[in-house]
Amino acid sequence: MSVNSEQEYPKASRAMHYGGVLSYCAGIFLIMAFCGPYWIQSYKETFSPFKHMGLWEYCFENYRYPYYQFPHLFHGCHHIFSQEYYVIREWLIPGWLMVVQTFVTLALMLSFSAQIMAALTLIRWPLKFVLRYEWLLTSLCFLFNAVASAFLFLAVSIFGGQCWRRDWLEYPNYNYLSWSYGFAVISFFFHGFAAYALFFETRRYYEERRANSNLVMQMYPDHARNGYM
């Protein structure tokens, strides 16, 4: 009986489809949070010289740093490592913000690694490798999403708790958390949902491998005893 080539190998599970889609959506929100300069911004009604900032960019309008001895006005949007912000970089990037940057960067790396593994598993390429190590790819995809979710939770918690400090941005009551921060929160939830969807698939693979291992040990006890299995 002829068999259609498309049916010669098992397809990816529904849990992997859900987990892959959720991981992809989480990655989209995360990249927008990572690049967006709107983690916190000032109310327009306050006419604050500070306008908005992201993880890697600050925007001011004729702002004078009170502890800088020269009457220099900082104006426009610049990268935090630009020459314009060289003299105030230590103030712009306190220790807690560097921790947030680190967590978000690590989460981004883990998120895209999980997406690559999910894509390879879903499209079954390379076929032999995926069929042989699908349990490993699924486990790593679950683990990377779970750790990325944990890192994002720490990042948004630290930023949300520290962004009102008066030794950072002046007049913190003029500011509010903006959409880039919101995307980071959404990405945290999506990564968690993806990890939840893949957890049961990972546990199923683990139980199957343990059952198969026990079956082999029962069929070939001498080999198992001698360390061949």
Side-chain angles (χ1 to χ4, degrees), residues 86 114 125 135 152 174 181 204:
Y86 176 77
W125 185 88
W135 64 273
L152 287 175
Y174 291 175
Y181 178 85
R204 183 179 68 83

Side-chain angles (χ1 to χ4, degrees), residues 12 16 19-28 107-126 129-130 133-134 136-142 144-145 191 198:
M16 175 54 72
V21 171
L22 290 171
S23 181
Y24 176 79
C25 294
I28 294 297
L108 184 66
M109 296 169 61
L110 291 171
S111 177
F112 278 94
S113 297
Q115 291 177 50
I116 292 173
M117 294 181 184
L120 293 177
T121 305
L122 290 173
I123 65 176
R124 301 320 230 194
W125 185 88
F129 176 82
V130 171
Y133 296 105
E134 185 173 6
L136 180 60
L137 294 174
T138 304
S139 301
L140 290 176
C141 192
F142 155 71
F144 288 174
N145 275 292
H191 278 100
L198 294 170

Side-chain angles (χ1 to χ4, degrees), residues 40-190:
I40 192 171
Q41 67 180 118
S42 63
Y43 293 103
K44 293 182 178 180
E45 298 80 4
T46 62
F47 300 102
S48 172
F50 164 74
K51 294 307 176 183
H52 53 85
M53 62 80 63
L55 294 180
W56 314 105
E57 183 178 276
Y58 279 80
C59 293
F60 295 101
E61 183 177 350
N62 297 324
Y63 173 72
R64 183 182 184 277
Y65 184 58
Y67 299 105
Y68 187 43
Q69 57 182 336
F70 300 104
H72 177 75
L73 296 179
F74 297 93
H75 184 77
C77 298
H78 301 277
H79 195 273
I80 57 176
F81 295 110
S82 65
Q83 188 64 29
E84 175 69 14
Y85 291 152
Y86 176 77
V87 295
I88 60 173
R89 188 173 302 151
E90 185 177 353
W91 170 67
L92 293 179
I93 318 176
W96 61 266
L97 184 56
M98 288 191 287
V99 173
V100 172
Q101 292 172 332
T102 302
F103 280 143
V104 176
T105 302
L106 292 175
L108 184 66
M109 296 169 61
L110 291 171
S111 177
F112 278 94
S113 297
Q115 291 177 50
I116 292 173
M117 294 181 184
L120 293 177
T121 305
L122 290 173
I123 65 176
R124 301 320 230 194
W125 185 88
L127 181 60
K128 292 183 178 179
F129 176 82
V130 171
L131 293 181
R132 183 174 182 180
Y133 296 105
E134 185 173 6
W135 64 273
L136 180 60
L137 294 174
T138 304
S139 301
L140 290 176
C141 192
F142 155 71
L143 180 63
F144 288 174
N145 275 292
V147 177
S149 179
F151 282 163
L152 287 175
F153 171 76
L154 293 174
V156 297
S157 298
I158 294 173
F159 189 90
Q162 299 293 320
C163 65
W164 312 114
R165 295 172 59 105
R166 294 187 177 274
D167 59 350
W168 183 43
L169 297 175
E170 300 175 16
Y171 308 108
N173 53 312
Y174 291 175
N175 306 326
Y176 65 95
L177 296 172
S178 192
W179 58 266
S180 295
Y181 178 85
F183 281 159
V185 175
I186 295 174
S187 181
F188 149 65
F189 281 108
F190 269 82

Side-chain angles (χ1 to χ4, degrees), residues 23-41:
S23 181
Y24 176 79
C25 294
I28 294 297
F29 284 113
L30 180 54
I31 194 65
M32 289 191 291
F34 183 84
C35 299
Y38 284 90
W39 276 61
I40 192 171
Q41 67 180 118

